[in-house]
Amino acid sequence: MIELEGVPELIDPVMICAFEGWNDAGDAASTAVGHLDREWKGEVFAALDAEDYYDFQVNRPTVALEGGIRKVTWPTTRLSVVRAVGGDKPRDLVLVRGIEPSMRWRSFCNEILGYAHELGVEMVVILGALLGDTPHTRPVPVSGVTSDPDLARSLDLEESRYEGPTGIVGILQEACTHAGVPAVSLWAAVPHYVSQPPNPKATLALLNRLEDLIGVRIPLGELTEDARAWQLGVDQLASEDSEVAEYVQSLEEARDTAELPEASGEAIAREFERYLRRRDGQPGPGGHATDAGGIADGRDGVAGGSGSYLRDPSAPGAGPGTGGGPGTGSARPRRPSAQDEAAQDEAAGDGAAQDGAAQEPDAGGGEGDEGGRDRPDDQD
């Protein structure tokens, strides 16, 4: 039963969703929604019943002491509302943040759509991130995908053409389409050789694209500096291994060659217009992929940040997409295997702007992100 007590009447509401697990490489998408919630001081007004959708042996509850009293926190999906005040006029955002469910995906999507209907949501935007053959020294590719041909034309998005296994992002987008709710998915590509979360540069790229799409100015706080420190730290670690440095250079050359046809007068004009909007503090009507908030594309400078970001492909579970901890040996990246390709094809086939993206089923999700991956058609 949907109860909306205490929720005020919303202004032009847009629902922004992100789910930890299969579709959240580097925790980029869930961190982006968490950033919106913190910056605009979101107020939680609803939480889905964890008993209905999660296997607690896969996504375990946690216990903490608060004032000497033990408190159990259950894995679930929560909804909060924030008022974005950075555009021409205020606009409300309904933030949906949680974990990819383990079961009953159709009921899960129907419950979220029930809230969207009751709140008068005008559009649903679902954030995701995948692992890909993209260099960390270049702007993060972000692709916008929709199943609605009219929406694709009006917002300059890719129309979904993907066929194959999918995650909750794909299921929720299709549920929105069948319910007549405009829905868009934004996908960021995370370098597979540096998949350990967090990835603030990918989070920043998603927020930049979201800002253009919904027409609001998003306060970035310390995220820009975090992204710059992350890149410099990876630069330093990559420079310490000649094979990794050569591999990154090959990715840079492939990326630059692939983008040469895009360096047209129209593309340059779009980016210049976006620069002017940012300089004047104005959000823009969106649809165009952006860079990661002014992060330097080169690899010069001194390393800032610490910790081992690069993955050891010879270590157990250290393939691109496991989302586990840092490797413990040579930081030499491996090429994606055939097994890696099933998950990443969803975003790559929908127009993700990268060459040969690769993602394993448990990309960036930590414990329990297998979730309902193989059971999107579970009976309610």
Side-chain angles (χ1 to χ4, degrees), residues 156-239:
D156 191 16
L157 303 169
E158 295 286 340
E159 189 174 348
S160 177
R161 300 295 182 190
Y162 170 74
E163 297 178 344
T166 189
I168 194 61
V169 170
I171 297 299
L172 180 56
Q173 178 165 326
E174 287 306 304
C176 290
T177 300
H178 290 305
V181 179
V184 175
S185 296
L186 298 181
W187 290 92
V190 172
H192 71 79
Y193 58 89
V194 57
S195 59
Q196 179 188 0
N199 188 317
K201 185 172 180 179
T203 296
L204 185 58
L206 280 171
L207 291 175
N208 283 338
R209 185 68 185 272
L210 178 65
E211 182 180 79
D212 286 346
L213 183 68
I214 64 176
V216 299
R217 182 76 171 170
I218 297 174
L220 299 177
E222 298 179 355
L223 194 54
T224 301
E225 287 304 316
D226 291 343
R228 183 174 289 108
W230 176 88
Q231 179 168 317
L232 291 175
V234 179
D235 283 346
Q236 177 65 25
L237 292 167
S239 69

Side-chain angles (χ1 to χ4, degrees), residues 41-307:
K41 298 177 175 56
E43 296 182 8
V44 175
F45 65 87
L48 277 59
D49 190 340
E51 293 278 351
D52 292 340
Y53 305 114
Y54 295 101
D55 179 346
F56 298 137
Q57 290 183 322
V58 176
N59 296 287
R60 292 185 178 274
T62 59
V63 179
L65 288 174
E66 295 185 3
I69 300 175
R70 294 173 65 84
K71 180 180 179 182
V72 176
T73 300
W74 297 91
T76 188
T77 294
R78 294 179 173 82
L79 290 81
S80 59
V81 62
V82 300
R83 177 149 294 176
V85 293
D88 294 335
K89 60 178 182 178
R91 182 173 208 173
D92 289 314
L93 306 181
V94 179
L95 305 180
V96 180
R97 185 186 182 193
I99 305 169
E100 185 177 62
S102 306
M103 60 195 81
R104 290 187 277 276
W105 284 21
R106 288 178 292 186
S107 295
F108 180 86
C109 293
N110 287 339
E111 190 165 351
I112 290 176
L113 283 171
Y115 282 106
H117 175 73
E118 291 296 324
L119 294 167
V121 165
E122 298 179 354
M123 182 171 65
V124 174
V125 181
I126 315 166
L127 306 183
L130 70 154
L131 299 179
D133 285 338
T134 182
H136 72 278
T137 55
R138 296 292 185 265
V140 175
V142 177
S143 60
V145 182
T146 181
S147 298
D148 185 335
D150 295 332
L151 201 60
R153 285 191 296 270
S154 63
L155 296 180
D156 191 16
L157 303 169
E158 295 286 340
E159 189 174 348
S160 177
R161 300 295 182 190
Y162 170 74
E163 297 178 344
T166 189
I168 194 61
V169 170
I171 297 299
L172 180 56
Q173 178 165 326
E174 287 306 304
C176 290
T177 300
H178 290 305
V181 179
V184 175
S185 296
L186 298 181
W187 290 92
V190 172
H192 71 79
Y193 58 89
V194 57
S195 59
Q196 179 188 0
N199 188 317
K201 185 172 180 179
T203 296
L204 185 58
L206 280 171
L207 291 175
N208 283 338
R209 185 68 185 272
L210 178 65
E211 182 180 79
D212 286 346
L213 183 68
I214 64 176
V216 299
R217 182 76 171 170
I218 297 174
L220 299 177
E222 298 179 355
L223 194 54
T224 301
E225 287 304 316
D226 291 343
R228 183 174 289 108
W230 176 88
Q231 179 168 317
L232 291 175
V234 179
D235 283 346
Q236 177 65 25
L237 292 167
S239 69
E240 294 172 357
D241 188 306
S242 59
E243 292 192 30
V244 173
E246 290 176 6
Y247 180 66
V248 172
Q249 184 178 3
S250 70
L251 292 179
E252 291 172 340
E253 292 171 353
R255 171 77 177 272
D256 295 343
T257 300
E259 289 184 345
L260 281 177
E262 298 298 323
S264 63
E266 182 180 352
I268 294 172
R270 283 201 306 263
E271 291 305 312
F272 185 65
E273 289 173 358
R274 189 176 192 282
Y275 161 74
L276 292 177
R277 287 198 302 269
R278 283 191 169 278
R279 186 192 65 178
D280 297 336
Q282 297 295 325
H288 305 296
T290 65
D291 63 17
I295 301 301
D297 294 344
R299 302 177 58 196
D300 52 346
V302 225
S306 59

